[in-house]
Amino acid sequence: MEDCNKATVESKASPWWKEILQSLVIAAVLALIIRSFLFTPFYIPSPSMEPTLYPGDRIIVNRLAYRLGEPRRGDIVVFRYPFDPGRDLIKRVVAVGGDTVEARDNVLYINGQPQPPAEYLPPGVVYSDFGPVKVPPGSYFMMGDNRNNSADSRVWGTLDGKLIIGKAFLVYWPINRIGFLK
C-alpha cells in the first residue's frame, strides 16, 4: 500500500525543468508588463540636466504618473522629441498650458511674474532673452537644468502632452547617486 501512495505522489509532481520554465515565463511576462505600463529605466546621454542628472546616470520613469494627473511646473519628464519621435529626451516642466513664459535681463518670467532662481539650477545660469511664449492648452514649455547647455523649448517650441512618456523619479545608478529626484 505504501508503494502505491508513493507512486501516486511522484506522478503528480512536475519535473523540475517544467517548474523552472514556468517560473521563467511568468517572470518574463511580469517584467514586460511592468516595463511597458508602470516603470521604465532610462539612460542620461547628455549634460543638459546637470547638476540634477549627469551623463551616464540611470533613472526610473513612472509611466503611470500622468495617466492619473497632469505634469506640473518643476516635474522632470521623459518625452519623445517632437522632431524625431524615435528619440527620447528629458527636461523639466517650466510652464504649463495657458502660461506665458519669457526671459529678459537674465530673469525668467511666468505669467509676468519673475521667478526666483531654483535650487536645482547650477550657479552662473545666464538666460538669453526669449519670448514671450504663450503655452497652448495640453502643451508644456520644457527646459534643461543646465540652461546654458540645453536644446529645449527655447529651440524647438512647446511640447505636446501626447509625447510625454512619464515622470522621472529615481536615480538608481551609479550607486553613489542613488536617490529620488526633486
Side-chain angles (χ1 to χ4, degrees):
M1 181 98 164
E2 245 179 72
D3 290 334
C4 182
N5 287 340
K6 187 176 179 184
T8 305
V9 170
E10 287 177 4
S11 67
K12 289 183 181 178
S14 297
W16 64 269
W17 60 270
K18 281 186 180 179
E19 290 180 24
I20 289 175
L21 183 60
Q22 182 181 25
S23 296
L24 289 174
V25 168
I26 290 170
V29 168
L30 285 174
L32 184 63
I33 289 170
I34 288 169
R35 185 172 173 148
S36 297
F37 300 106
L38 300 176
F39 303 104
T40 302
F42 278 90
Y43 171 80
I44 305 302
S46 74
S48 72
M49 285 298 291
E50 288 180 355
T52 305
L53 296 167
Y54 291 91
D57 282 358
R58 298 197 184 255
I59 63 169
I60 299 290
V61 173
N62 181 343
R63 296 178 74 99
L64 194 59
Y66 299 130
R67 291 188 181 142
L68 305 173
E70 297 292 320
R72 298 184 318 206
R73 285 189 209 126
D75 285 357
I76 301 173
V77 175
V78 173
F79 56 93
R80 290 179 185 81
Y81 179 50
F83 297 122
D84 180 3
R87 188 173 154 211
D88 298 332
L89 297 181
I90 184 167
K91 305 288 180 201
R92 194 177 292 270
V93 176
V94 173
V96 299
D99 287 345
T100 299
V101 61
E102 68 179 306
R104 358 180 204 103
D105 302 324
N106 204 37
V107 176
L108 182 69
Y109 292 85
I110 297 176
N111 300 324
Q113 299 298 312
Q115 301 300 299
E119 71 276 357
Y120 53 77
L121 294 175
V125 168
V126 177
Y127 289 101
S128 298
D129 289 355
F130 70 86
V133 175
K134 177 79 170 170
V135 182
S139 296
Y140 302 90
F141 195 90
M142 313 297 288
M143 293 177 79
D145 288 358
N146 187 357
R147 299 194 174 157
N148 297 336
N149 188 18
S150 177
D152 48 38
S153 287
R154 296 171 291 175
V155 175
W156 40 259
T158 59
L159 176 72
D160 185 328
K162 294 175 187 165
L163 296 173
I164 292 176
I165 294 169
K167 181 179 182 177
F169 75 98
L170 176 73
V171 175
Y172 71 91
W173 190 261
I175 290 173
N176 64 332
R177 294 193 28 77
I178 289 175
F180 291 100
L181 294 169
K182 298 177 194 171

